[in-house]
Each structure stands twice: as structure tokens, then as C-alpha cells.
Amino acid sequence: MVGDDGFAAVDAYLDGLFGDDDPSLTAALERAEEAGLPAINVSSSHGRLLHVLVLARRAARVLEIGTLGGYSAIWMARALPPDGRLVSLERDPTYAEIARGSIERAGLADRVEIRVGRALDSLANLEREGAGPFDMAFIDADKEPYAAYLQAVVRLSAPGTLIIADNVVRGGAVAHGPSDDPVVTGIQRFNAALAADARLAGAVIQMVGAKGHDGMAFAVVR
Ligand code: SAH
Ligand code: DHB
Ligand code: MG
């Protein structure tokens, strides 16, 4: 079994093959780091995967829960058609400002809207506005309410909507039964809800990389 160093080496190898992130993505990470944001953005390989999925789904309307510095948002928005739109939800107004700056510098300001506030409130507002259905949604904010995010996202979906959720394995902690960690129990509730939901065809995939052992859930609304 290859160790964590091997996982990081493979990510570095892949980044070498695909080329470094384009300058706007690198700049977004640099600005986030300078501003002291936590480095909990997706890896470049996972950003590339999100980009591919937007293209595969031919998504024109994408919802993101958890913007941080806009790194995953830029990966996804760059795959949108010119009239496409990404709505990204962020609780922290400082993070949202930094993300807006990076998205603007990436030339994507016309395609990305960042809404500041608690995600459950913003999701309720989107429902009230009739903002759905979205073609794709990426859940990547705080983990305790993940199951509630899933329900809200399904309400903003239509048949064929692709739902992705980050961090659903957490180093394998989800496999070890009841936990005292509310993050782990939140993710376990999410995974169980996804698996049991007859409206969804879903899969949870564990992943390794420079950021260790975690995973993503993928589901399509039937
Ligand atoms: N998708 C980003 C990473 C998101 S990190 C990327 O890959 O680049 C998770 C983000 O969710 C953080 O910015 C955090 O501030 C935000 N967040 C946490 N709880 C939230 C909540 N209740 N509502 C909205 N955003 C929240
Ligand atoms: C962590 C990682 C994430 O990708 C995330 O969205 C939130 C937290 C973490 O490693 O703590
Ligand atoms: Mg994440």
C-alpha cells in the first residue's frame, strides 16, 4: 500500500502532465493563502474533475455550497457556456470578497454570483425565488448539515441533476460506526440518506491524493 507521500507524488505527477493550473487558479490560491484562509480547497485534480463533470453534464446552471476563496468555483465556472451561471454560497463575508476578486480577475464575474449568508438560509431564499432547477450542485460547506443540504439541493433539482459532495469519507472515519465527532456523524447521516433515497442514483467513492484520504459522493436525480 502506497503511503501519503506516494499519494502526493501522484498528484504532482498528474499536475505535471496536465500542466500547472492556469494563472487565475494559481492566483486565487495565492490570494487565499495571503489572506489567511484555510487551505481546504479541493486539489487541482479534483478541481479538474469538477470541470470535466460540468462539461459532461453540459451544465449551464451550477450551485455550489461553500465558496472559500473561489478555487473550485473558478474550475467549474470555466466549463460553463457563455450564458451559464454558477451560484456559490458562502457564510463568511471576508472569504466571499476574496473569492469575488479572484473570480473577477479570472474573467468570470459575469457568470458567478456569490451569496453571503448561512447556506440553509440562502438555499431557502433560492427556493422562494424559484431559482432552480440547477443542472449540477457541489456540496462543500460545513459537514454537520450535509443531509439537510442534500434535501434542499434535491428541491432545487430536476431529473438529471448531478449532485456532488466533497469530504464524505474523512480518512475512513465514516466506516467505524458511531462517532463523537459531529463532522463524522453529519457525513454518516448524509451518506445514509443518499444511499436510501429512491429519488437518487448515487455512489460514494473514496479518493486519495495530496490532501490525504477522503472521498466524494456522486448522485443523479432520477
Ligand atoms: N469549495 C471550496 C472549499 C470550501 S471550504 C474550494 O474547493 O475551493 C468550506 C467553505 O464553507 C468555507 O469557506 C466556509 O466558510 C463555508 N461555510 C461553512 N459553513 C457554512 C455555512 N453554514 N453556510 C455557508 N458557508 C459555510
Ligand atoms: C476540510 C476539508 C475540506 O475539503 C472541507 O471542505 C472542509 C474541511 C478539512 O480537511 O478540515
Ligand atoms: Mg471540501
Side-chain angles (χ1 to χ4, degrees), residues 40 140 143 166-167:
I40 55 174
D140 191 22
K143 312 308 168 192
D166 195 23
N167 310 115

Side-chain angles (χ1 to χ4, degrees), residues 119-137:
L120 285 172
D121 297 334
S122 299
L123 289 163
N125 288 336
L126 288 169
E127 277 183 63
R128 254 193 301 279
E129 295 164 23
F134 290 90
D135 304 314
M136 180 169 140

Side-chain angles (χ1 to χ4, degrees), residues 29 32-33 35-42 67-69 90 92 95 211:
L29 288 184
E33 192 187 345
L37 272 55
I40 55 174
N41 51 279
V42 295
T67 316
L68 193 66
E90 174 55 52
D92 189 306
Y95 294 5
K211 288 174 185 262

Side-chain angles (χ1 to χ4, degrees), residues 18-215:
F18 283 91
D20 281 337
D21 288 358
D22 75 82
S24 59
L25 284 161
T26 306
L29 288 184
E30 282 169 4
R31 271 191 290 270
E33 192 187 345
E34 277 162 25
L37 272 55
I40 55 174
N41 51 279
V42 295
S43 67
S44 51
S45 289
H46 293 179
R48 205 172 286 116
L49 170 63
L50 293 170
H51 181 91
V52 166
L53 291 172
V54 172
L55 292 173
R57 179 61 190 77
R58 298 177 198 263
R61 299 186 48 76
V62 178
L63 174 64
E64 176 176 66
I65 308 178
T67 316
L68 193 66
Y71 183 73
S72 53
I74 293 171
W75 269 115
M76 291 191 284
R78 285 170 46 95
L80 289 171
D83 61 345
R85 198 153 182 82
L86 169 73
V87 179
S88 187
L89 311 182
E90 174 55 52
R91 177 177 57 191
D92 189 306
T94 310
Y95 294 5
E97 251 339 285
I98 290 159
R100 282 193 187 106
S102 292
I103 286 161
E104 162 98 54
R105 289 183 186 87
L108 295 164
D110 58 331
R111 262 169 266 186
V112 182
E113 176 193 354
I114 299 176
R115 292 195 176 200
V116 177
R118 290 177 58 241
L120 285 172
D121 297 334
S122 299
L123 289 163
N125 288 336
L126 288 169
E127 277 183 63
R128 254 193 301 279
E129 295 164 23
F134 290 90
D135 304 314
M136 180 169 140
F138 178 47
I139 302 173
D140 191 22
D142 50 334
K143 312 308 168 192
E144 291 90 328
Y146 254 39
Y149 294 153
L150 180 64
Q151 298 311 315
V153 164
V154 169
R155 289 194 292 273
L156 287 161
S157 294
T161 297
L162 174 60
I163 302 171
I164 301 147
D166 195 23
N167 310 115
V168 294
V169 170
R170 301 311 287 157
V174 290
H176 301 134
S179 169
D180 297 334
D181 182 346
V183 169
V184 173
T185 55
I187 296 289
Q188 287 172 325
R189 275 198 308 277
F190 170 88
N191 286 335
L194 176 63
D197 198 323
R199 300 169 297 177
L200 302 172
V204 174
I205 305 297
Q206 56 185 330
M207 296 162 153
V208 294
K211 288 174 185 262
H213 176 207
D214 210 325

